[in-house]
Amino acid sequence: MTSTHSTTNIVIAGLGGQGIITASDILAEAAFRAGFDVKKSELHGMSQRGGSVTSDVRFGERVLSPMVPAGEADVLLVLEPTQIEINRPLLRAEGVLLTTDVIPPDALKNKKSLNVAMLGALSGVLEIDEDHWLNAMHAHLAEKLHRINDEAFELGRRCAQPD
Amino acid sequence: MTDSLTKSRQLLSGDDAVALAALHAGTALGIGYPGTPSTEILETLDRLGGRAQWSPNEKTALEVAIGVAFAGARALATMKHVGLNVAADALFTATYTDVDGGLIIVSADDPGMASSQNEQDNRRYARAAGIPMLEPVDSQQAYDFTWLGYELSERWKIPVLLRLTTRVCHSLTPVLPRAPIAPRVADFRRDVPARVMIPAYAKPAHHRLRAKLADIAAWNEAEGPMQTEMGSRSLGIISTGISAMHAREAAPEASHFSFGLTYPLPIGRIRDFASQFERVLVIEEGDPVLVEEVRAAGIPVEGKTERFRFSELDVARVRRIVAGDDSEEPTPPKGKPPELCPGCSHRTVFHALRDLDCIVAGDIGCYTLGVLPPFSAMDTCVCMGASITAGLGLRHALPPDQARRVVSVIGDSTFVHSGLTGLAEMAYNPPPTGHLVMILDNETTAMTGQQEHPGTGRAIDHSRAHRMDFAAVARAMGIAHVDLIDESAKNIDLKARIAECLARDETALMIVRQPCVLAAPKIRLYEKAADQHCTAAPAA
């Protein structure tokens, strides 16, 4: 039986319409391409009407439950400031909180790619090769959106690692 | 996405896995009514090139699917848990009949009610209707059990219930697909005693059903899908579905037994497993279905306390059950509730109903959000279609001054699903004060993600289909006053129009039409494509 210690737990949170589900799909796909066992879970439905949305992504050697237990998220990525406090209990004591503060205002060419910029920031704290990230993005986004999202991803990655 | 779905090992949702398996296993027709968390199954099947259709409601869908299976081809009927209530009339007799082609009915249950009006546990339906039930733990099993479901269905000529739950439907997990097979050729075989359920034939059919179930139980004992992981000798855990995953993570030191064909139970195997431990615990989400049945077989097992009957299980909750901790659980922080979209035409309607102090019998759809502030303009919501009929009941019983304030509001997709018979009831048994029904027609099934229905004039792939004319239907049914309002037109005093209807003691239908703001851009594209197709066709 694999212990849960080898599982990396990420929670992505925000509001309906911000691309939470797409971001978590890309993250799950990137981890899958990197060879991990992966499970991703979220709730659909009413959340499409502007309400709170969270999505859980877990990867590692063997993942069991698709849901991140409260207090065990290694990273909490929040796209909307009002959603930080309500999701903070999901984060473990030494976990990383990633908020949109890492992206300088007006640095993004297209506000809709904030989710992907935040994935760029997230990529700095996870051990997944950049190629897997880019391939996963391209698999999930329309071709005409590849360029703007590649740039957003790079922006996020740079911002999170200022050196 | 379409291409990647048919390649080797890939990351799929449970819904997509069922669709892919249905395609690979040669399903002749997938049919259903959209409902979270089941909706994506048919959308994906259509996208992959399989044959898929939206039906007006679940009963209609299941009956069509039964016909496909009678014809000897494989059929898939999909619905959410409450949808099975609508289809139950067909279900309880379908199990008596012999199907030649495989028939799988998907029940996508929603423990925790992420997007539903109740938390019913459809494992009860398997027992009540006598239908074998498969419960996958992840997308791989969702894929495999779709294949297995067809095999069992054809071997025993019986429909099979594939019970998914939200966390299986909407979780992405890896799937390794199999090589596709060609669909079976449909060919009618006459078998009146096995298909015509008059009492003379139904009585032996019930005996046949019980014999089939006994056979299937024996198969389940011998070669059913099950998994044992031996750990500690002090604690053995029996679990099924997604609970099995939570249990394995919450109690890695324990021994675990789980099985996929969860009705009829492999009771001998459960007994063998249970006999090895001092403490045996049943971990199940929802009702105490499994624990009661295992205990009834004389196997001493421990279940969860009543507290854990409500909402979903997760790893933390299973840890508590294992520890025997029945103390108060931490309340998760409240998120931002959903709301009607900015620019949604329903907003105008609910503002008007609030200002007129109406008693509003509501229905199931995103417009149910009219119950929340700032509208606070909905007083009842039970099940699909009940807005019209419950509104009629209110009108029948209330004193006239209150009765004249009652209005039923229903969405366009819901109207087709379950409102038509309510409208017939209104014409046939009108209350003394009459009644007003408003169809909030946003030209899509908005709640579940903008699916088509018989009132949109487009099929599941958005190509042109016949469009039901709600106003003509109402007139033909005998509704006294029919008013079609284009909400996007200027200078409409909706409040005055509603007040006028309420003042008259007659039956009235008001259709307030404006495309859903989220769907409108797509609808324009579909219409454009359909127009081009129409003009291109004669030249070709």
Side-chain angles (χ1 to χ4, degrees):
Chain A
M1 180 69 58
T2 316
S3 86
T4 55
H5 299 130
S6 64
T7 303
T8 302
N9 294 323
I10 318 279
V11 175
I12 303 183
L15 295 179
Q18 285 194 303
I20 308 289
I21 306 297
T22 305
S24 61
D25 280 343
I26 292 169
L27 165 60
E29 179 82 25
F32 181 65
R33 284 167 185 259
F36 293 107
D37 187 21
V38 183
K39 287 190 175 170
K40 193 213 89 161
S41 169
E42 83 273 337
L43 294 178
H44 287 194
M46 277 293 191
S47 53
Q48 289 181 20
R49 322 273 152 213
S52 300
V53 183
T54 65
S55 184
D56 299 353
V57 178
R58 315 186 76 193
F59 60 91
E61 201 178 318
R62 185 189 174 197
V63 183
L64 294 166
S65 169
M67 298 146 78
V68 174
E72 293 185 23
D74 299 292
V75 184
L76 171 64
L77 191 166
V78 191
L79 277 93
E80 159 63 42
T82 59
Q83 303 300 300
I84 295 172
E85 286 315 309
I86 60 167
N87 286 295
R88 201 184 284 272
L90 300 174
L91 199 56
R92 69 177 167 84
E94 306 80 28
V96 176
L97 174 68
L98 269 179
T99 70
T100 51
D101 289 349
V102 297
I103 313 286
D106 305 322
L108 261 184
K109 280 187 185 160
N110 185 335
K111 293 269 178 269
K112 281 189 173 173
S113 51
L114 177 65
N115 58 345
V116 169
M118 291 303 293
L119 286 180
L122 176 66
S123 72
V125 297
L126 298 180
E127 283 174 32
I128 296 174
D129 287 350
E130 190 168 0
D131 279 358
H132 296 312
W133 282 103
L134 293 177
N135 290 335
M137 277 162 53
H138 293 172
H140 280 271
L141 299 167
E143 202 171 342
K144 61 178 180 188
L145 301 174
H146 287 182
R147 197 163 167 198
I148 190 104
N149 280 292
D150 287 357
E151 287 171 13
F153 185 83
E154 282 310 316
L155 173 75
R157 204 172 162 90
R158 271 202 320 277
C159 292
Q161 296 166 298
D163 48 305
Chain B
M1 187 81 183
T2 305
D3 289 341
S4 69
L5 271 184
T6 49
K7 279 185 205 148
S8 56
R9 197 163 177 273
Q10 56 209 289
L11 205 51
L12 295 183
S13 72
D15 279 352
D16 284 352
V18 170
L20 185 62
L23 183 79
H24 286 174
T27 300
L29 181 66
I31 187 163
Y33 182 80
T36 310
S38 71
T39 313
E40 294 87 344
I41 300 172
L42 291 187
E43 290 181 326
T44 301
L45 181 59
D46 173 67
R47 202 175 68 234
L48 293 173
R51 190 163 158 208
Q53 288 170 200
W54 289 131
S55 248
N57 67 28
E58 295 84 357
K59 178 175 188 282
T60 319
L62 177 54
E63 288 160 355
V64 173
I66 290 169
V68 170
F70 280 167
R74 288 183 164 179
L76 178 76
T78 72
M79 57 204 70
K80 68 182 297 172
H81 61 344
V82 289
L84 196 53
N85 301 334
V86 179
D89 204 9
L91 172 73
F92 276 68
T93 306
T95 52
Y96 280 28
T97 65
D98 283 359
V99 290
D100 276 0
L103 172 57
I104 294 178
I105 303 161
V106 175
S107 167
D109 290 13
D110 187 11
M113 296 181 280
S115 185
S116 304
Q117 63 270 38
N118 76 28
E119 201 167 17
Q120 73 187 50
D121 186 332
N122 279 6
R123 292 180 299 165
R124 304 277 197 201
Y125 265 116
R127 278 120 186 120
I131 181 170
M133 181 167 66
L134 289 162
E135 291 187 81
V137 301
D138 58 15
S139 304
Q140 181 69 60
Q141 279 199 344
Y143 181 88
D144 292 338
F145 285 2
T146 303
W147 280 88
L148 179 61
Y150 280 134
E151 287 156 15
L152 298 177
S153 177
E154 284 165 4
R155 178 164 169 190
W156 278 283
K157 296 178 177 292
I158 190 170
V160 168
L161 194 59
L162 180 65
R163 178 182 181 252
L164 310 176
T165 54
T166 308
R167 297 291 176 174
V168 172
C169 292
H170 285 170
S171 291
L172 297 185
T173 74
V175 174
L176 183 64
R178 306 181 195 178
I181 57 166
R184 290 175 26 153
V185 178
D187 187 21
F188 187 72
R189 181 183 61 86
R190 175 162 289 140
D191 188 350
V192 173
R195 307 258 177 82
V196 183
M197 288 305 130
I198 56 172
Y201 296 142
K203 284 172 188 171
H206 188 194
H207 287 277
R208 278 203 307 279
L209 169 62
R210 295 301 153 188
K212 285 180 185 181
L213 290 171
D215 250 13
I216 294 168
W219 175 85
N220 201 15
E221 299 277 358
E223 50 187 307
M226 48 190 80
Q227 202 183 2
T228 308
E229 284 184 19
M230 289 306 288
S232 147
R233 289 275 163 186
S234 57
L235 174 63
I237 295 181
I238 300 166
S239 56
T240 58
I242 197 74
S243 306
M245 289 304 184
H246 300 323
R248 279 173 163 74
E249 181 163 338
E253 71 294 342
S255 295
H256 291 269
F257 177 63
S258 52
F259 47 99
L261 183 71
T262 60
Y263 181 82
L265 289 182
I267 206 77
R269 299 290 289 268
I270 294 171
R271 193 186 305 279
D272 291 348
F273 177 79
S275 68
Q276 304 172 60
F277 306 94
E278 296 158 34
R279 183 183 177 210
V280 184
L281 184 57
V282 170
I283 298 290
E284 61 185 322
E285 206 165 57
D287 292 351
V289 176
L290 186 55
V291 74
E292 282 172 4
E293 212 162 309
V294 171
R295 279 181 184 155
I299 305 166
V301 290
E302 193 183 320
K304 59 187 182 186
T305 55
E306 186 69 0
R307 175 187 307 283
F308 299 99
R309 179 186 201 131
F310 305 96
S311 196
E312 293 184 285
L313 291 185
D314 57 23
V315 172
R317 298 188 90 199
V318 175
R319 282 189 195 126
R320 280 172 174 262
I321 298 171
V322 171
D325 178 357
D326 193 36
S327 64
E328 202 66 45
E329 297 173 271
T331 348
K334 275 213 169 81
K336 180 176 175 288
E339 57 183 41
L340 287 174
C341 302
C344 172
S345 61
H346 301 339
R347 286 175 166 266
T348 327
V349 175
F350 285 114
H351 276 304
L353 293 171
R354 182 197 58 190
D355 292 353
L356 291 165
D357 192 24
C358 289
I359 297 168
V360 180
D363 223 301
I364 310 288
C366 54
Y367 53 93
T368 314
L369 293 169
V371 71
L372 299 176
F375 314 104
S376 306
M378 191 170 290
D379 298 286
T380 73
C381 172
V382 180
C383 64
M384 291 184 77
S387 57
I388 300 181
T389 32
L392 289 169
L394 287 164
R395 283 263 186 173
H396 286 307
L398 288 172
D401 58 324
Q402 285 188 44
R404 284 195 186 86
R405 288 162 49 206
V406 179
V407 176
S408 293
V409 294
I410 186 167
D412 46 329
S413 183
T414 309
F415 175 71
V416 178
H417 178 285
S418 287
L420 284 161
T421 45
L423 209 60
E425 167 67 16
M426 176 163 82
Y428 184 53
N429 293 314
T433 57
H435 187 43
L436 169 61
V437 173
M438 298 178 75
I439 300 180
L440 310 189
D441 184 358
N442 60 10
E443 303 189 47
T444 188
T445 316
M447 175 78 174
T448 49
Q450 301 149 28
Q451 287 74 31
E452 307 291 354
H453 61 74
T456 67
R458 286 177 302 273
I460 191 170
D461 62 355
H462 315 293
S463 64
R464 188 80 79 207
H466 176 74
R467 179 171 189 168
M468 182 190 291
D469 181 340
F470 298 156
V473 166
R475 283 190 198 100
M477 278 188 178
I479 304 304
H481 179 82
V482 180
D483 196 1
L484 176 62
I485 295 170
D486 181 356
E487 175 60 29
S488 54
K490 302 271 180 246
N491 305 324
I492 288 175
D493 189 348
L494 189 65
K495 216 190 293 182
R497 301 274 275 268
I498 295 171
E500 240 172 80
C501 280
L502 293 177
R504 281 193 292 259
D505 288 344
E506 62 183 23
T507 55
L509 175 70
M510 195 180 271
I511 303 157
V512 185
R513 181 172 291 164
Q514 187 185 311
C516 161
V517 287
L518 297 178
K522 287 184 212 162
I523 292 175
R524 280 194 293 274
L525 285 178
Y526 304 147
E527 288 296 304
K528 205 171 143 191
D531 286 347
Q532 278 168 353
H533 182 77
C534 288
T535 48

